[in-house]
DNA sequence: TATGAATGAGGTTTCATTCAT
DNA sequence: CATGAATGAAACCTCATTCAT
């Protein structure tokens, strides 16, 4: 969905034995910008925000540094653009995968889509998950927006499930938020696990999470809860 | 003839004004080292590994930069020392809180201790959770050791619970690892949530997590599992 | 938000005073690189490798430090480049001065060229002779290459002289190497002497060395040698 | 003659399994100073003036840094003291080896002593030859004194040889100085050669130099000289 | 006498950013 | 549209030197 090209367009064409600098092909702005973002996501994802250098990004994109500045103004804005683009892509993938139906089916589909997307775009996932957390202030907004989006999605699901059970679980908003955080955190951790262990499929990760969490959520939906001793 | 530091006794005595630098307070090495680690944890936790500067750390510790290098050799070793110290403190806190007894009681106690510790030392938690993941190679070992420690702890708990239920759940190692990752990830996420929302107590976070996870774990222990549709 | 270099167009225009920094003069890379090497040779020659600072070199070259690093990568590589350039210049001067002819004439011509070159480029000579010897490993290769070049030149000369005398001097390689070292050392020392005493011409230095060494070499070539007493 | 002890006195005595800092033995000042100079010569000889650190020297001497400063005031003075001591040792060795007798015998004996001494104390030789030349001003005096001493010695030899030949060679002072420089330079170069090639004896180096130089010197003493072509 | 504790100053190197073409 | 040339600022790290005990 975002086409991280291994090469980009242009670069150095080694024609017939001598390195020849080819005239960079003129390209429409949108496409150039996409190339830059691709390179930036890859670099930020692998090195981190501070350790990534604009030099490396420009080189990977196959353009000169001033062009990056011309289009994206600053490192900060470039990183913000990365977060925004990748957050949108992730939520689009998850939302696009769920269809009307029973709640557990919806959750299952959403989780599978989530693990599939993060597995297919590990650098993008690293940008969203690890890197964007380490840097202070300026990016919090973007990342919080993503998290809020996911939490809202899960919250809606839970509410629907409750209605479906013809019960008023009367779970306070605050508890729902806590549960959503727990679910998202578990999913994030499993995404990292699945990326690190090469033979764990998205399906398996999703099943693990359903097994882990669905029973508890179901109980809560029906008013049963675990009570602390004494 | 190099003539550095002609000024004799260290310290600028601004007579009659303010900003009288005192410095040169002698302290035993161990204590100074502790101060430096405190400052480093705070700075690394708030700024991140790359963005934290040795200057800032030294100033926060109330010493000059060369002293930090004299005692801790390099930024990398300083960060490693931080991780090691804080990881040890966290696991000590958790392990120290659980007593023999039923499995859910043990998990409940451990979780409360976990949330209490991370709540009380947010910078240390940030170092362990967010920051140590961003940077590559050199620190992976330390952080993995912590995660492995926690996973081992949880795994032992689950195994004990299974025995307690007089059942052979025959959960394969790999599934147990996945569940442990999910649990730890959920806990990590809730720790961040509890730190961000100021009036969420450690107890509430722990209860939320127990509600979220205990039913599913119990089901699995007794051989019941959620099965995917189709 | 990092906000470095807010001041816009580089250069401090001290209106109405003096010290108007011009800078930002664009030049083709090759020429700038030459300027930098000139400055580096001068600085290294006068201060030595360790004592020379990149700051001083950059200033003498009339550029900023980062540009030096952009073009020459590191202090070590910069020094290596100096050695290589100056060694090539010196050997070119010497080899270019000798023409086919009798051996003593060849040696005489070569020596004059040697003393003329070292006299005209004392800093370059200092880099090659004094400075490059002090520092360890990394530069040994370059300097040894120069010395080997000179020794090879002298060795060839001696062999030609032997043939010329229609004799097989049967000097073992090892003795030839020793003699060449002695000759080169004497030349080096005389070069220093000629540079220190301002009114010693290259011609005089060369004549002194011929007087000093030619008779002994001639004797050896014809099989006569000095024998130690007892 | 200067006893570079491998250990010095004191240090860390590993008694019975735990590293135990032993109380440094009180020692008479002269001996302590000798230890420090030994360590300094070794370090300066191997690393060079700038690259040698007072830390390393103090550690190698087995004392604390402030003690070095107490006794020798500064790095500069320490280096000066090294040069002075080693120059004196070298000239003592050479002068002590020559006995009244024919000139070539005297030169032969002196050269052998020279090569023997430099071979036995390579670090001291490195300090005198390589290192002392790279640094500017402050040490020139010391090194020049050594060179002048050697040149004077050789000059006296040559003059004696001339008298011995019952001739007035009427070599001008300046030419004698040039020849002495050539001889000393050749000797220095051969000293380096002999140190680098491990199986070249002092005797062989001296013989090589006699073969190289004696015939020319003899010729000059008797008024014969090489004349440049044209 | 001897040392552990401490620091000012300066070293090399990197990086985000801009200007002139 | 696109880039080669250039730099201010700050990062990590080292070292000669001194003070208080």
């Amino acid at each position: 969905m975002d086409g991280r090209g291994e090469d980009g367009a242009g670069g150095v064409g080694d024609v017939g034995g001598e390195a020849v600098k080819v005239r960079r092909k003129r390209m429409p702005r949108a496409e150039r910008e996409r190339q830059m973002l691709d390179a930036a996501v890859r670099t930020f994802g692998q090195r981190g925000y501070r350790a990534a250098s604009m030099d490396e990004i420009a080189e990977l994109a196959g353009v000169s540094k001033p062009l990056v500045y011309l289009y994206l103004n600053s490192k900060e804005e470039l990183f913000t653009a990365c977060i925004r683009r990748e957050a949108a892509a992730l939520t689009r993938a998850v939302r696009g995968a769920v269809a009307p139906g029973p709640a557990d089916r919806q959750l299952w589909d959403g989780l599978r889509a989530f693990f599939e997307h993060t597995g297919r775009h590990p650098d993008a996932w690293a940008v969203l998950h690890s890197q964007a957390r380490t840097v202070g202030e300026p990016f919090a907004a973007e990342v919080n927006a993503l998290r809020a989006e996911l939490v809202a999605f899960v919250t809606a699901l839970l509410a629907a499930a409750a209605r479906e059970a013809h019960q008023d679980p009367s779970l306070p908003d605050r508890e729902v938020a806590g549960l959503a955080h727990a679910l998202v955190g578990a999913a994030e951790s499993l995404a990292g696990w699945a990326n690190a262990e090469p033979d764990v499929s998205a399906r398996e990760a999703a099943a693990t999470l359903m097994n882990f969490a669905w029973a508890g959520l179901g109980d809560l939906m029906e008013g049963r809860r675990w009570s602390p001793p004494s």
Side-chain angles (χ1 to χ4, degrees), chain A:
Chain A
M1 185 154 282
D2 39 25
R4 284 157 199 78
E6 290 295 284
D7 187 337
V12 176
D14 193 338
V15 183
E18 182 98 343
V20 174
K21 184 97 55 83
V22 283
R23 207 93 190 85
R24 225 68 96 176
K25 249 221 319 264
R26 294 292 191 80
M27 301 181 48
R29 171 161 182 152
E31 191 173 352
R32 264 283 143 84
E33 236 176 73
R34 196 175 47 67
Q35 283 183 351
M36 292 177 192
L37 285 177
D38 289 348
V41 167
R42 194 146 126 199
T43 309
F44 284 134
Q46 278 167 8
R47 301 241 188 292
Y49 176 67
R50 293 287 298 221
S53 85
M54 296 296 272
D55 269 296
E56 188 178 356
I57 291 170
E59 190 177 26
L60 189 62
V63 298
S64 73
K65 242 186 317 177
L67 199 58
V68 180
Y69 278 88
L70 187 63
Y71 283 179
L72 288 140
N73 300 322
S74 74
K75 196 184 188 184
E76 205 173 303
E77 283 188 38
L78 174 57
F79 193 53
T80 305
C82 290
I83 296 177
R84 241 196 291 258
R85 188 183 82 169
E86 297 306 333
L90 176 56
T91 54
R92 208 180 317 125
V94 172
R95 286 203 180 276
V98 305
D104 69 336
R105 174 65 189 254
Q106 285 192 19
L107 185 54
W108 165 246
D109 286 341
L111 287 176
R112 265 186 335 183
F114 175 82
F115 288 118
E116 236 145 54
H117 188 90
T118 56
R120 221 192 305 282
H121 307 297
D123 291 330
W125 173 241
V127 165
L128 292 175
H129 180 53
S130 321
Q131 309 304 352
R133 287 176 131 71
T134 61
V135 286
E137 284 265 349
F139 313 105
E142 305 300 327
V143 176
N144 285 351
L146 169 63
R147 202 159 244 260
E149 170 91 23
L150 292 179
V151 167
F153 174 70
V154 171
T155 305
L157 251 175
L158 297 184
R163 272 195 308 282
E164 189 176 295
H166 298 294
Q167 295 218 216
D168 175 22
S170 75
L171 290 180
D173 280 1
R174 177 200 186 108
E175 181 159 28
V176 172
L179 293 171
H181 270 272
L183 180 60
V184 170
E188 287 174 344
S189 181
L190 284 173
W193 178 60
N195 273 354
E197 305 273 328
D199 57 342
V200 173
S201 68
R203 197 186 160 83
E204 179 177 350
T208 301
L209 186 43
M210 286 302 284
N211 267 309
F212 178 67
W214 188 247
L217 291 176
D219 278 4
L220 285 168
M221 232 67 68
E222 294 170 14
R224 283 194 301 280
R225 55 179 64 235
W226 177 89
S227 56
S230 85

